[in-house]
Amino acid sequence: MKKILVVCGNGLGSSFIMEMNVKKALTELGKEAEVSHTDLASAKTETADIFLGAEDIMGNLEDGSRTIVTLQNVMNVPEIKEKLTPLL
């Protein structure tokens, strides 16, 4: 099972809402994945198959080895589905 790590600046409210939206998108796609959320600093030491978050912070995680998904609108379930589908 794939592991998706939802990342935001502080790892609190917005990443929790994004996590819920990712789970909703997965359900709508009929897919399963382990989904959790964290802050940007912690994400740098975490392992996951997919790191997902807002465009403005995800560049900080890019190291050439991570699969990064950037979102323009972190609350947009159709965008989440569109970006995750090719990776699942």
Side-chain angles (χ1 to χ4, degrees):
M1 181 178 301
K2 296 241 181 194
K3 180 177 179 183
I4 300 172
L5 189 60
V6 179
V7 182
C8 78
N10 295 320
L12 300 170
S14 60
S15 63
F16 180 67
I17 294 168
M18 276 192 290
E19 177 183 343
M20 292 173 29
N21 285 338
V22 168
K23 288 178 178 178
K24 180 178 181 180
L26 291 169
T27 298
E28 290 178 10
L29 291 168
K31 302 287 185 179
E32 290 185 15
E34 177 186 335
V35 183
S36 59
H37 67 278
T38 191
D39 64 280
L40 180 59
S42 298
K44 293 179 180 184
T45 63
E46 297 272 344
T47 58
D49 298 299
I50 301 167
F51 292 82
L52 180 140
E55 281 182 323
D56 60 334
I57 66 165
M58 294 308 287
N60 294 304
L61 284 178
E62 187 62 64
D63 67 359
S65 68
R66 294 184 176 107
T67 300
I68 304 288
V69 173
T70 59
L71 300 173
Q72 291 182 346
N73 180 347
V74 297
M75 304 305 165
N76 186 320
V77 175
E79 180 185 3
I80 293 169
K81 287 169 48 176
E82 175 189 331
K83 302 252 175 111
L84 285 180
T85 296
L87 302 172
L88 298 172

